[in-house]
């Protein structure tokens, strides 16, 4: 019995010594539990990163679906076709982005963007692809004889005439006379209230409203009595056939398609561009006043100030800044 106990005690003692030696040897080795914790932490980090990526993708898809829903088809609403001429300049992308963000809130909307260029640019094409809107991308360069020279004042020649006419031509070639819709000439440097598009959507012939911050005045627009246009509030050439700003009217698609020759005259005298289209479509008495009988301003001229690049140009000359890969 004592022998058995001695053997057990000896075995226990030996195991204890071996365990102590093993523990002493492991003191200089990395801790397996720390490695496991580090590996687990890396898995958690990768999982969190993946979750963030998935969340970003969900937000992107949600935004895209919402935009497509806003610009989707609803048979009960007439479509709005907005024709926007645009040209290359420092603020072009900023103004098109701002405008596209407004349009994303509209249902039954189709954006016709026409570049003043020999070829469609990737900048505008990429912006339209990312917009989530129904759109048509066109281009037509303004003939040199109709272009402003560097020293010319901005009012000397109208911009966007050829581009607007191309948009009208596209509608005539791709839309049917039976379609109930409205056409609006939405320049990219204006600010638009969403209510404006609700007002114009049911236009029968030509609807009109005031435009803010135009012609050196707080607003210009039609004067209305008993739901009829009886004159115009304008500070310049009030005797024009239609002293209306480009942003101040919309035309029923059926009326535009029925009058095949109607369009903007590239040779029109200053201030007569709008009249060159409207006088072939409607009389003043037939105009449809909107926006509380033209007492509420829903669109403004808010041209973006041309940025000054002197500081950046100086950096480029010094060899700094030219290698920055920033999309503006």
């Amino acid at each position: 019995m004592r022998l058995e106990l001695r053997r057990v005690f000896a075995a226990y003692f030996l195991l204890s010594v071996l365990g102590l030696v093993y523990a002493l040897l492991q003191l200089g080795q990395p801790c397996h539990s720390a490695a496991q914790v580090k590996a687990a932490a890396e898995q958690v980090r990768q999982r969190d990163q993946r979750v963030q990526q998935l969340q970003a993708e969900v937000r992107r898809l949600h935004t895209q679906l919402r935009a497509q829903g806003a610009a989707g088809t609803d048979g009960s609403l007439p479509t709005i076709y907005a024709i926007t001429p645009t040209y290359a300049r420092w603020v072009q992308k900023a103004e098109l982005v701002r405008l596209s963000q407004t349009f994303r809130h509209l249902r039954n909307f189709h954006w016709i963007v026409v570049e003043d260029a020999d070829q469609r640019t990737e900048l505008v094409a990429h912006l339209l692809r990312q917009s989530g809107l129904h759109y048509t991308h066109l281009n037509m360069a303004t003939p040199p004889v109709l272009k402003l020279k560097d020293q010319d004042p901005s009012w000397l020649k109208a911009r966007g005439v050829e581009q607007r006419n191309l948009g009208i031509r596209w509608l005539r070639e791709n839309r049917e006379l039976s379609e109930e819709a409205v056409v609006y000439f939405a320049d990219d440097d204006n600010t638009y209230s969403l209510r404006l598009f609700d007002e114009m959507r049911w236009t029968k012939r030509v609807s009109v409203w005031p435009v803010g911050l135009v012609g050196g005045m707080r607003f210009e627009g039609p004067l209305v009595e008993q739901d009829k246009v009886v004159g115009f509030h304008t500070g310049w050439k009030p005797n024009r056939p239609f002293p209306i700003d480009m942003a101040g009217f919309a035309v029923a698609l059926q009326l535009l398609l029925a009058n095949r020759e109607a369009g903007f005259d590239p040779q029109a005298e200053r201030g007569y561009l709008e009249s060159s289209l409207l006088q072939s479509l409607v009389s003043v008495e037939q105009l449809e006043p909107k926006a509380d009988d033209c007492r509420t301003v829903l669109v403004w001229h808010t041209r973006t100030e041309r940025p000054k690049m002197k500081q950046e140009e100086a950096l480029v000359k010094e060899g700094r800044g030219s290698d920055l890969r920033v999309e503006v």
Side-chain angles (χ1 to χ4, degrees):
M1 183 67 177
R2 290 181 178 176
L3 183 60
E4 292 294 332
L5 289 175
R6 287 178 181 175
R7 288 178 178 176
V8 171
F9 179 79
Y12 178 79
F13 178 79
L14 181 60
L15 288 173
S16 299
V17 171
L18 290 175
L20 180 60
V21 172
Y22 179 79
L24 292 173
L25 291 174
Q26 294 299 312
L27 287 176
Q29 301 295 325
C31 179
H32 289 295
S33 60
Q36 292 174 352
V37 169
K38 184 177 180 180
E42 177 61 20
Q43 290 179 350
V44 170
R45 188 193 67 80
Q46 293 178 356
R47 184 193 63 187
D48 290 343
Q49 186 178 37
R50 181 56 178 162
V51 168
Q52 291 175 357
Q53 292 173 346
L54 291 173
Q55 288 175 337
E57 181 68 11
V58 168
R59 287 195 297 269
R60 187 188 69 80
L61 291 173
H62 181 265
T63 300
Q64 182 177 350
L65 289 172
R66 184 176 58 185
Q68 291 174 346
T73 300
D74 184 343
S76 64
L77 290 176
T79 300
I80 296 175
Y81 291 98
I83 298 176
T84 299
T86 187
Y87 65 99
R89 59 203 191 278
W90 282 112
V91 299
Q92 180 186 29
K93 182 177 180 180
E95 293 188 322
L96 287 175
V97 167
R98 180 177 59 190
L99 188 53
S100 69
Q101 299 300 304
T102 298
F103 289 161
R104 285 177 64 159
H105 295 279
L106 303 177
R107 297 188 64 80
N108 279 35
F109 180 84
H110 189 119
W111 196 12
I112 303 173
V113 179
V114 190
E115 291 194 69
D116 186 349
D118 293 320
Q119 295 180 341
R120 285 171 285 182
T121 66
E122 179 56 27
L123 183 149
V124 176
H126 178 73
L127 187 150
L128 291 172
R129 288 193 299 266
Q130 297 295 314
S131 70
L133 296 167
H134 293 293
Y135 68 87
T136 296
H137 187 189
L138 306 172
N139 69 286
M140 173 174 282
T142 299
V145 68
L146 298 177
K147 276 183 171 290
L148 287 170
K149 297 180 175 59
D150 292 338
Q151 67 273 19
D152 290 340
S154 60
W155 49 261
L156 185 62
K157 295 177 181 178
R159 286 196 183 102
V161 182
E162 300 292 340
Q163 292 72 38
R164 295 186 186 97
N165 284 336
L166 179 59
I168 293 173
R169 187 157 64 249
W170 184 90
L171 288 170
R172 287 177 174 146
E173 295 172 352
N174 294 275
R175 292 299 179 262
E176 300 295 332
L177 186 60
S178 59
E179 181 179 352
E180 188 175 5
V182 63
V183 181
Y184 183 50
F185 302 96
D187 289 351
D188 59 6
D189 57 356
N190 295 336
T191 299
Y192 304 88
S193 166
L194 292 176
R195 180 185 158 190
L196 175 66
F197 301 95
D198 293 331
E199 295 277 335
M200 75 173 67
R201 194 180 291 275
W202 303 97
T203 298
K204 299 304 179 184
R205 295 182 68 85
V206 175
S207 56
V208 292
W209 46 80
V211 178
L213 308 177
V214 61
M217 304 176 65
R218 288 189 302 119
F219 73 95
E220 286 187 344
L223 301 173
V224 178
E225 292 181 4
Q226 298 181 349
D227 297 328
K228 295 291 184 181
V229 175
V230 297
F232 297 89
H233 177 71
T234 180
W236 188 74
K237 289 192 176 182
N239 294 326
R240 287 173 289 162
F242 290 88
I244 300 176
D245 186 83
M246 189 67 68
F249 68 91
V251 181
L253 176 65
Q254 294 173 343
L255 181 63
L256 200 58
L257 298 186
N259 292 269
R260 305 291 298 183
E261 301 304 318
F264 295 101
D265 181 5
Q267 303 293 340
E269 183 184 346
R270 177 192 173 194
Y272 285 79
L273 184 62
E274 294 83 357
S275 297
S276 70
L277 171 71
L278 293 175
Q279 62 189 359
S280 62
L281 297 174
V282 73
S283 66
V284 172
E285 293 74 21
Q286 293 173 316
L287 294 175
E288 304 162 42
K290 302 292 184 180
D292 303 321
D293 277 345
C294 297
R295 292 192 299 268
T296 302
V297 174
L298 299 173
V299 55
W300 299 261
H301 276 273
T302 52
R303 184 178 293 109
T304 303
E305 181 181 356
R306 182 177 179 179
K308 298 177 177 62
M309 300 296 178
K310 293 181 180 179
Q311 186 172 356
E312 185 167 344
E313 290 172 354
L315 290 176
V316 172
K317 288 180 179 179
E318 294 173 7
R320 297 184 292 155
S322 58
D323 293 331
L324 293 177
R325 297 294 182 262
V326 177
E327 181 182 340
V328 180

